Amino acid sequence: MSRFDPSHDINHVDRVCPLRLAEQDALKDKVDLTVIKLAALCHDIGDRKYVTSPEKEENVEQFLIKNGYDIEKSALVKKIVDNIGYSKELGWSKDDPDTTWRDSCLELHAVQDADKLDAIGAFGVMRCAAYSGAKNIALHIPELDPVLHMSQKEYTNQKNGTAVNHFHEKLFRLSSMMRTPVGKEMAKKRDQFMHAFIAQIEDEEKEIY
């Protein structure tokens, strides 16, 4: 992960893990906490935004087995990691064979929510700016409207987005996608902050144009 920009660096991983700990209070008697911790630590391995040579990427399952974790637990961690990410969720269908598992796996829900929580609120604002800077994405183009309700293909192939539009296209949707009780509650305040932030940008924009 040393090649990742500040939006997805080890500090992001460190924030996701404590958020996972905050969420486990409501789930601690129902989940495998080791699986949650490992999945949180590994959740950005193989992220499509940074992968240049998929064949050279570390296989999470093989890495864990090599380091002494049992096969069943390692396989579950890999499956969770493979299902973390907004763009992946856009491609989900009710007809998928994994739908029942996705709806019932509490370990998946905990890591999903922890990752989403770091994508919104004040840290979400900074991470959006950091990623935009790293990828040379414009902060704001007044005449460029956001593209709402994109399909997975449209989202992953988008070429002309902006940081501000990213709030409308993705970040404002995340609070409604939370899956744990604690995650849903924590997301409310963070979502409100982002809306206030964008409202401030819109107010400043009116003074300029």
Side-chain angles (χ1 to χ4, degrees):
M1 294 185 64
S2 59
R3 68 185 186 278
F4 290 8
D5 64 79
S7 70
H8 289 80
D9 62 7
I10 191 61
N11 298 299
H12 161 63
V13 174
D14 285 343
R15 289 191 300 273
V16 168
C17 289
L19 289 172
R20 179 267 309 167
L21 291 173
E23 291 184 347
Q24 76 185 34
D25 287 343
L27 304 172
K28 59 185 178 183
D29 296 326
K30 305 176 183 178
V31 297
D32 187 326
L33 299 182
T34 299
V35 167
I36 292 178
K37 183 175 182 180
L38 290 171
L41 288 170
C42 298
H43 78 278
D44 274 336
I45 294 177
D47 190 317
R48 65 172 183 84
K49 296 187 293 297
Y50 303 97
V51 171
T52 55
S53 301
E55 67 280 1
K56 295 181 180 179
E57 286 296 306
E58 182 81 64
N59 181 289
V60 171
E61 183 177 3
Q62 293 175 4
F63 173 80
L64 293 176
I65 292 173
K66 185 170 61 178
N67 283 275
Y69 292 95
D70 66 65
I71 295 175
E72 183 177 352
K73 197 182 295 286
S74 300
L76 178 56
V77 171
K78 182 182 185 300
K79 190 171 184 177
I80 291 172
V81 170
D82 287 345
N83 281 272
I84 298 295
Y86 177 76
S87 63
K88 294 176 184 177
E89 291 190 49
L90 288 179
W92 290 358
S93 167
K94 291 183 179 179
D95 297 326
D96 290 346
D98 281 337
T99 296
T100 299
W101 173 79
R102 289 175 184 146
D103 288 341
S104 61
C105 181
L106 298 180
E107 289 86 357
L108 170 66
H109 299 172
V111 182
Q112 281 181 312
D113 281 11
D115 190 38
K116 287 186 176 73
L117 283 169
D118 201 51
I120 59 179
F123 273 111
V125 169
M126 291 195 295
R127 290 182 65 214
C128 180
Y131 183 79
S132 297
K135 299 298 182 180
N136 198 30
I137 296 172
L139 294 179
H140 183 45
I141 301 175
E143 62 271 19
L144 185 62
D145 293 329
V147 182
L148 304 179
H149 310 297
M150 281 186 279
S151 66
Q152 182 188 56
K153 184 177 180 180
E154 290 170 332
Y155 182 79
T156 55
N157 293 332
Q158 188 181 31
K159 302 298 183 183
N160 60 343
T162 70
V164 168
N165 283 354
H166 188 64
F167 285 83
H168 299 281
E169 294 165 350
K170 173 186 174 181
L171 303 185
F172 286 160
R173 298 187 64 188
L174 296 185
S175 64
S176 67
M177 297 171 67
M178 307 301 287
R179 307 188 75 162
T180 66
V182 174
K184 291 176 181 179
E185 189 61 32
M186 292 176 70
K188 292 178 182 178
K189 184 177 180 181
R190 296 170 187 237
D191 186 63
Q192 291 171 355
F193 175 86
M194 291 193 303
H195 277 86
F197 176 77
I198 293 300
Q200 177 66 22
I201 287 179
E202 292 171 350
D203 286 345
E204 294 180 12
E205 181 182 43
K206 292 174 184 176
E207 297 173 352
I208 299 171
Y209 299 102

